[in-house]
């Protein structure tokens, strides 16, 4: 395990191909969320029923975790990660809006969840080949957290399909 040395000021880290592939995969989900918000007419009131409650719960937890991620990235002062964290938070905000007000937009959480599962699988490969760590976590701890995140995003896609 090698803890990454973090410069004191704002900086741009050179991410590997795996890091860029993870960002690109998750970027597909963010674009789907933005497209959904722009394309889908939302209802004036919340439209939840059945498994939609579970979907809202999982998406809500993931949205809250994206706020934590944003705060961590601000603390790390790494520009690329911070830009992604902002886009990530906006993607989740759009997803929350769509699962609450546009249940007919099933494709959005399905694409979002699938893209994020792919991104987490890529991240796991990145962690395996790079030994990257941050915030005092071991590579194994980071990999396990990534597995949980992949599972939650898979659950988003499945709940969207079934509701």
């Amino acid at each position: 395990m090698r803890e990454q040395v973090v410069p004191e000021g704002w900086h741009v880290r050179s991410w590997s191909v795996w890091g860029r592939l993870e960002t690109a995969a998750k970027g597909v989900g963010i674009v789907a969320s933005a497209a959904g918000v722009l394309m889908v007419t939302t209802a004036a009131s919340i439209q939840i029923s059945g498994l939609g409650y579970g979907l809202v719960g999982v998406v809500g937890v993931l949205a809250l975790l994206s706020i934590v991620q944003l705060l961590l990235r601000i603390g790390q002062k790494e520009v690329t990660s911070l830009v992604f964290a902002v886009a990530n938070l906006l993607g989740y905000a759009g997803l929350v809006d769509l699962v609450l007000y546009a249940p007919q937009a099933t494709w959005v959480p399905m694409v979002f969840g699938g893209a994020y599962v792919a991104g987490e699988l890529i991240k796991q490969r990145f962690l395996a080949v790079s030994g990257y760590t941050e915030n005092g976590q071991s590579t194994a701890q980071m990999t396990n957290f990534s597995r949980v995140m992949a599972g939650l995003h898979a659950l988003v896609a499945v709940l969207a399909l079934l509701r």
Side-chain angles (χ1 to χ4, degrees):
M1 168 176 77
R2 62 187 160 132
E3 181 76 22
Q4 301 302 310
V5 176
V6 179
E8 289 186 30
W10 286 95
H11 61 284
V12 175
R13 187 179 192 291
S14 178
W15 292 99
S16 71
V17 171
W18 290 108
R20 290 190 298 269
L21 284 172
E22 174 198 351
T23 301
K26 292 178 179 178
V28 170
I30 292 168
V31 169
S33 178
V37 168
L38 293 173
M39 292 170 44
V40 176
T41 304
T42 58
S45 61
I46 293 176
Q47 306 288 313
I48 306 172
S49 64
L51 291 175
Y53 288 105
L55 179 59
V56 168
V58 175
V59 169
V61 167
L62 290 168
L64 290 173
L65 288 172
S66 74
I67 294 170
V68 172
Q69 178 197 37
L70 177 64
L71 296 174
L72 287 171
R73 299 306 180 215
I74 290 170
Q76 291 173 339
K77 297 182 179 178
E78 201 284 319
V79 175
T80 306
S81 295
L82 179 60
V83 169
F84 175 78
V86 169
N88 188 49
L89 179 57
L90 292 172
Y92 279 110
L95 189 60
V96 167
D97 179 66
L98 289 166
V99 299
L100 286 173
Y101 296 100
Q104 76 279 12
T106 303
W107 67 273
V108 176
M110 289 175 61
V111 171
F112 192 96
Y116 271 66
V117 168
E120 291 300 332
L121 293 174
I122 293 167
K123 175 188 269 183
Q124 291 166 30
R125 180 65 182 153
F126 163 71
L127 293 170
V129 299
S130 70
Y132 179 82
T133 64
E134 63 182 33
N135 299 323
Q137 297 179 72
S138 68
T139 301
Q141 290 170 316
M142 292 183 70
T143 301
N144 287 335
F145 184 73
S146 177
R147 289 175 180 148
V148 169
M149 293 299 286
L152 288 172
H153 286 94
L155 186 57
V156 166
V158 169
L159 287 172
L161 178 65
L162 297 177
R163 73 170 173 167

